[in-house]
Amino acid sequence: MSQDTGREKRIFVELPIRKAVTTLTVPTVISQLIVLVYSMADTWFIGQTKDPYQVAAVTVCYPIFVLLSAISNLLALAVEV
């Protein structure tokens, strides 16, 4: 694990800023897109029940889920560096 931490620190020392930030943000953006696809699939399956209250509940919970995912990604990047 210390070897991975050394690699992450070297990214910011040796690479240009734009490349270093891109290296760490691309996995975060991909994980957010996966969360989006998961939520869309979840909404579609719940929509099959034809219950508007359940669909509304998923719609209300989606921003909270994305916020928690963003915070976890931020903390994961902070721990890596």
Side-chain angles (χ1 to χ4, degrees):
M1 177 148 170
S2 63
Q3 188 178 25
D4 291 337
T5 305
R7 185 182 78 81
E8 297 297 331
K9 288 182 182 177
R10 265 188 271 123
I11 286 175
F12 283 109
V13 172
E14 297 172 359
L15 294 178
I17 294 173
R18 181 173 293 225
K19 179 133 175 103
V21 170
T22 303
T23 301
L24 294 175
T25 57
V26 167
T28 303
V29 170
I30 290 171
S31 70
Q32 290 290 72
L33 289 174
I34 290 170
V35 167
L36 173 69
V37 170
Y38 170 77
S39 294
M40 289 173 62
D42 195 26
T43 304
W44 185 79
F45 280 111
I46 291 175
Q48 298 298 311
T49 64
K50 307 239 188 299
D51 185 4
Y53 294 115
Q54 290 182 3
V55 175
V58 171
T59 304
V60 168
C61 291
Y62 174 69
I64 297 167
F65 190 63
V66 169
L67 181 66
L68 290 174
S69 175
I71 290 171
S72 68
N73 284 330
L74 178 66
L75 293 176
L77 284 175
V79 170
E80 282 184 16
V81 177

